[in-house]
Amino acid sequence: MDSAPRTDPLLDVLRDVVGAEHVLTDPELVAPYTVDWSRRFAGPARAVVRPADTEQVAAVVRACVAAGAPVLPQGGNTGLVGGGVPASAPGPAGPPVVLSTRRLTRLDPVDDLSGQVTAGAGVTLGDLRRHVAAAGWEYGVDFAARDSATVGGTVATNAGGIRVVAFGMTRAQVAGVEAVLPDGTVVSHLGGLLKDNTGYDLGALLTGSEGTLGVITAVRLRLHRPVGATTVVLVGVDSYDEAMAAVRTYVAPGTRLLAAELVDDVGMDLVMAVAGLPWPLERPHPLVLLLEVEDGGTGDGLVVPDDADVAAALDAGDQERLWQYRERQSEAFSSLGVIHKLDVSVPLPALARCAAELKQAVAALDSVDRVGVFGHLADGNIHVEISGPDADDLEADALVVETIARHGGSVSAEHGIGRAKAHWLPLSRSAAEIATMRRLKRALDPDGLLNPGVLLDDPTG
Ligand code: FAD
């Protein structure tokens, strides 16, 4: 993976900026930064650079751009669309310098009056969540990769997760962003004013920009009042329609729904085998729904019919056990090898038909061994996991995104476009929207050196 020449003047400059020990070129040290979590995407890097603060990030970006070298921002490397690792075939400017944000671990005290906190881009989601919980607050974003995914990565991808139904996506939590633009300019808006109508919201533009417009170095985040004790249930259901009706009717009036997640029988079989878990319900079902509600941990927040097949958990240990069936889905599928992971969303009225249609169509492909669906039901967000096709065989992926588009859905619900879906962006965004994105990209990054090939496969158009 290491294609750094023996003497590389750019790397000498970068060593002066961050210290020699933070410019990695040893193939063994570089390797973990050049292959993604799913092992489906990998490519060569010129070096990995690990700046310690915003000034160092700015100096690194300036040096790379002056040398005509692409820069690839990387956080926890848990992204699942290939946006955080180099392309397998480098573009004309050669392999990128991977700019790892993991040393940007600033974590300010919680501002109790505004209910906000400022965090460095390299802080993990788990550390952020523990930090604010210790101060009596809740951060609204959470998902299984919490102990690796970074604040910067979650903002750059506008991550969703298991609490979107209660708190919204990452964009809803962002009160301000500090970032280094491709020319080395630092834009910083971390004051956290509750009301602040002063022109373009640059933080909102950088949120979800997937490292193509700038390197996020710190973020001002809105927090929520702590969640009280909860009840978690698994419910066996026989169809998507039944699952959606349960979300609508089981939650008692006045009770806050915190999560509504779904796992199909393929995913259940896998997670039981991988995690050594028993079947949690009385009878077999094609789908298992997980609901979590804030009801003081009494169980009163859910009104479940007597004939429903339910496992309920009121205390934290039991709740964690039930959550495992959902939280370990990605890991369970990945135990089968390189998995094609398609994160998509569908309008809720079309979800049942669309999910059945695409599962049947994908399963019929010769290359496919197994196809399973799990996801965030209340958000219309399903993850289609496919084993069998080679990493670069896109037939099944194309079938999924085309089916989704036909049903009025989005080719990316929460993971972003990355490299994996850049080609399919026109299925979800109009020509006028993509042209506008290209104009923004050219205005901020005229040489196309920030994460080339990600989001816009041909940024200069
Ligand atoms: P990386 O993977 O390092 O990077 C992702 C993208 O962001 C890349 O394009 C990269 O260039 C860019 N980037 C990273 N940091 C910066 C920065 N500081 N400035 C500018 N650009 C940057 N995602 C969800 O939304 N919901 C889920 O429920 C969910 N569950 C997951 C479960 C598992 C087990 C795994 C492995 C992943 C899951 N993901 C989920 C996907 C992933 O965790 C998220 O996309 C996460 O936001 C990526 O954060 P990261 O720090 O790992 O970013």
Side-chain angles (χ1 to χ4, degrees):
M1 288 291 163
D2 182 18
S3 54
R6 271 179 193 285
T7 55
D8 182 335
L10 171 61
L11 300 193
D12 288 337
V13 176
L14 298 180
R15 286 185 190 104
D16 283 346
V17 173
V18 299
E21 70 274 32
H22 294 298
V23 178
L24 313 181
T25 54
D26 176 338
E28 237 174 79
L29 299 178
V30 169
Y33 297 84
T34 55
V35 54
D36 82 321
W37 186 90
S38 73
R39 292 165 310 192
R40 184 175 172 199
F41 304 101
R46 186 158 169 179
V48 175
V49 184
R50 298 163 32 96
D53 57 33
T54 304
E55 272 166 36
Q56 289 191 3
V57 172
V60 167
V61 170
R62 247 184 254 117
C64 289
V65 170
V71 179
L72 187 154
Q74 187 187 87
N77 195 10
T78 65
L80 297 171
V81 285
V85 291
S88 55
V97 169
V98 173
L99 190 161
S100 169
T101 61
R102 286 188 227 171
R103 291 177 71 218
L104 304 176
T105 50
R106 162 186 179 183
L107 197 43
D108 290 5
V110 171
D111 175 348
D112 255 327
L113 288 178
S114 64
Q116 296 182 357
V117 70
T118 299
V123 173
T124 65
L125 186 55
D127 282 343
L128 172 74
R129 294 183 56 77
R130 285 183 283 273
H131 175 68
V132 305
W137 291 86
E138 170 84 18
Y139 181 55
V141 175
D142 192 19
F143 51 82
R146 58 182 72 79
D147 287 318
S148 304
T150 60
V151 165
T154 55
V155 173
T157 56
N158 184 26
I162 57 177
R163 295 288 190 230
V164 171
V165 67
F167 301 121
M169 305 269 289
T170 297
R171 182 171 277 116
Q173 326 302 325
V174 174
V177 165
E178 177 187 89
V180 173
L181 302 182
D183 66 355
T185 303
V186 177
V187 285
S188 184
H189 202 71
L190 300 175
L193 287 173
L194 294 177
K195 302 187 92 172
D196 183 12
N197 275 347
T198 49
Y200 301 143
D201 186 343
L202 300 177
L205 175 63
L206 287 158
T207 305
S209 64
E210 300 187 44
T212 62
L213 298 179
V215 183
I216 295 163
T217 49
V219 189
R220 182 81 175 174
L221 296 164
R222 296 190 182 94
L223 304 174
H224 301 269
R225 296 279 165 211
V227 172
T230 67
T231 296
V232 175
V233 292
L234 292 183
V235 191
V237 289
D238 296 326
S239 68
Y240 281 86
D241 285 332
E242 194 185 330
M244 284 188 290
V247 176
R248 216 175 44 248
T249 58
Y250 286 11
V251 182
T255 301
R256 179 156 64 158
L257 176 66
L258 292 175
E261 303 283 313
L262 196 80
V263 179
D264 76 359
D265 47 359
V266 177
M268 286 299 287
D269 285 348
L270 264 176
V271 78
M272 289 190 297
V274 168
L277 296 167
W279 176 251
L281 299 166
E282 275 183 16
R283 307 186 292 277
H285 300 274
L287 296 167
V288 173
L289 173 67
L290 181 151
L291 296 175
E292 181 164 11
V293 294
E294 185 182 17
D295 64 353
T298 59
D300 295 344
L302 286 163
V303 185
V304 181
D306 288 343
D307 59 349
D309 191 5
V310 180
L314 303 184
D315 69 68
D318 282 348
Q319 293 183 350
E320 204 180 310
R321 191 174 52 75
L322 295 191
W323 261 107
Q324 284 200 49
Y325 292 91
R326 167 62 185 89
E327 288 243 288
R328 298 185 69 177
Q329 283 297 307
S330 257
E331 172 198 341
F333 276 97
S334 288
S335 72
L336 297 174
V338 171
I339 296 295
H340 292 239
K341 294 173 174 290
L342 279 298
D343 153 57
V344 291
S345 62
V346 200
L348 287 172
L351 182 60
R353 245 183 63 215
C354 178
E357 201 180 297
L358 66 80
K359 213 170 155 176
Q360 197 180 14
V362 171
L365 295 177
D366 287 342
S367 59
V368 171
D369 290 334
R370 238 185 277 204
V371 50
V373 173
F374 65 91
H376 313 292
L377 181 71
D379 313 329
N381 177 187
I382 52 176
H383 299 313
V384 185
E385 307 268 312
I386 303 163
S387 73
D390 293 338
D392 53 2
D393 175 352
L394 298 181
E395 191 184 12
D397 305 45
L399 194 53
V400 172
V401 293
E402 281 158 12
T403 307
I404 288 292
R406 239 190 356 267
H407 286 274
S410 167
V411 299
S412 172
E414 57 176 12
H415 292 170
I417 293 293
R419 285 179 212 292
K421 293 178 177 171
H423 177 65
W424 289 311
L425 189 58
L427 288 177
S428 291
R429 303 302 288 262
S430 69
E433 285 179 301
I434 294 172
T436 306
M437 289 191 209
R438 286 208 173 100
R439 285 161 69 185
L440 285 166
K441 170 75 174 164
R442 272 199 300 269
L444 292 178
D445 183 19
D447 301 324
L449 291 174
L450 254 275
N451 229 357
V454 168
L455 183 52
L456 299 165
D457 56 357
D458 174 17
T460 50

